Amino acid sequence: CDVGKLSSADRSSCKDCSAGQYNDAGIDCRDCPGGKYAPTAQDSVCLTCTAGDHTNNATKATQCSSCDSGKYSEDLAVDCISCPNGTYSASRASVCIDCERGKYAPIRASSSCTACGSGQYQPHTNATACLNCPKGKFQASSGIYYCDDCAAGKYASQVESQGCTACETGLDSSEGSKACVIADTNYYVSHFVDVSNDNNATQVACPKNAYCDGGLRAPVPNRGYWVPRSSWDYVGNIYKCPRATCDLSKDKQNASCFDQPHYFTDDDADDDLVGRCASADVLCTEGAQGPLCGTCEVGYIFRGETRTCEPCEAAAISGFAVAALGILFVVVLALVFLGRFDLPVLRESVMIRYMRNIDSGSLKVVWVTYQIIASTSFNLDIQFPAPYSSVLGALNFFSLDFLSLECYQKSEDRYFTTVYLYSVAPIVMCLLLMVGSSFILAFVLLTGGGPKAAHTVKSQAVWYFLGLTYVVLPPVSMKQLQSLDCVNFPHDDSAFLRVDTAIDCQSDGYLAFRDTIIGFIILYQLIPLIWFYMLWSVRSALNPPVSDTDAKLAIYVRDKNQDLAPLRFLFDSYRCDRWWFEVAEMYRRIAFVSVIPLTSSVTATRASLGCVLAMVSMLYYREERPFRTKFTNFIAYLAQAAILFTFYAALSIETGVMIDFGLKDLGMGIFLMVTSASILGLALFLGVT
């Protein structure tokens, strides 16, 4: 047979090899092996099927076809291989291509990769699926391999977010937030926030008298205000401090103490802010602590003129110095004036003769006026401007506010002990006076002193009793009634004693103390009634019948009546028909120094009541003129004006009227100082003139 032809099996003829075969050296027709093909009979070898194509038949292939998209093949391929998940291919591909970032191929034999939808991303190649954007992130476009953080002030609370939602007014967020859990400036969050929480916080507008930096920071009280730190639920309750002990001038360095992670560091022993973030250190001035910074630490004492807690050492020295000089002056003046201390050298002294000519009523007016004025700063919770505040400090001995008894006690109930001492000491002094007078009276009678000497002893005993009660009754009443003045906190229905907020008004210890003090209050408030009874029993002698026709003659008759000598302290300064006035005057003093503070917790209200009472007193003194001399009546009238000015100044300071009218602190301080000092000057000058 010719070349390329082979004989038939029976060797009867020559023929060609068929398609899919090749002529094997003229000997035989052989089928093309896998991966090779022959569209027509080939000589010696079949054609090779290249990568990207396939023969589709294991042998005797007549053609080589391209692989479909999504499949690939290498050289000599019989079949195409499907691209695995995460890859793709075009037609006639020799390899599969990994899906690029932002796309995926979820099934085999993919001809292309699918772009991740909005709200999804895929950071890797060869991906079989997309990832949802987590909370706090978003993706608005498709086919992106990353998610964007929500901008500050926005949040994404769901996965697969295509955009972020703006925080509500008053709330804020940091970048990438899944919820608005921090407050915007001038707001604070209403509850303790778990930053991993998916829920938005609840915002609350910043309360008055505080400033809010936003974030997770609680409202920071302004200077002069206090906030309870026992629970985050109470951070919006801002209270005005009655004392000048709430001072956040150092709050900037302790600002982190108002952040939620450190707000309760009092109970967190491992926190590095323990101590520095204790409530007293953050909110109170040196030496002050407790609710409203209203109690002094052991070793400190509250001073009314500065309205702060001062170290006991300094307070004791200054207090006793002022007290010693004041008491010495008053005692010597009283004894010399009343003739109880009479020496030849004193009789020859021009100054002593001058002092004895001063009207006793004028001195009473001075004492009463200064006692009322000295109590205003503490009772009204007002800091008066200098130099008047210094004057009030010097007048403290009129209210017995110089003893500093708390400094000598270390127990937590030292306030109770102090009030007990104030209440018991005058009673003990009266008992000693009674016992001493009894011994003296017995001695006089045993030595043959006679009825006149005995009468003198009794008269002096009564006089000293009246003088003692006259001096101590208002300040003791003030101490006692202060024990009933509790400050209520609506946020948790608690109550603390205003003068010492370390004392819980709902505790059993306080309730027992209060019941005891009420008994003392009743006892002391009966004293003016005892005076009245003593005066009532001799009223006909105190107001002789001739008083209706001749007032001077009536006073002369009364002055000559020696039987009235024991009670002369009570009535001597007044007209005959006003024999009872000292009783009314005592209750007026008690109203000023003790009752007004109990009427309201609002300083402006208390100051207004003081103004009203002072004006009523002015009208009474002007119209009724109860004193026996016109000069004393005039001084008494001016004294009420000085009291009125003091209360009105307190009202102006509290309401801001002083600032509105452009008044300066120094000017008001000087005016009040001159006004109060003029009372003493007029008493010394006009009383003699």
Side-chain angles (χ1 to χ4, degrees), residues 580-600:
W580 47 265
F581 190 75
E582 193 65 73
V583 176
E585 178 70 354
M586 176 54 71
Y587 282 124
R588 187 182 76 94
R589 291 163 62 190
I590 293 174
F592 267 115
V593 303
S594 304
V595 177
I596 285 180
L598 296 178
T599 57
S600 174

Side-chain angles (χ1 to χ4, degrees), residues 9 68 133 139 159 281 309 401 410 568 580 589 618 629 639:
D68 294 335
C133 288
Q139 184 49 256
V159 297
D281 295 335
C309 294
D401 191 23
K410 304 301 181 183
R568 196 167 299 279
W580 47 265
R589 291 163 62 190
M618 286 182 66
T629 67

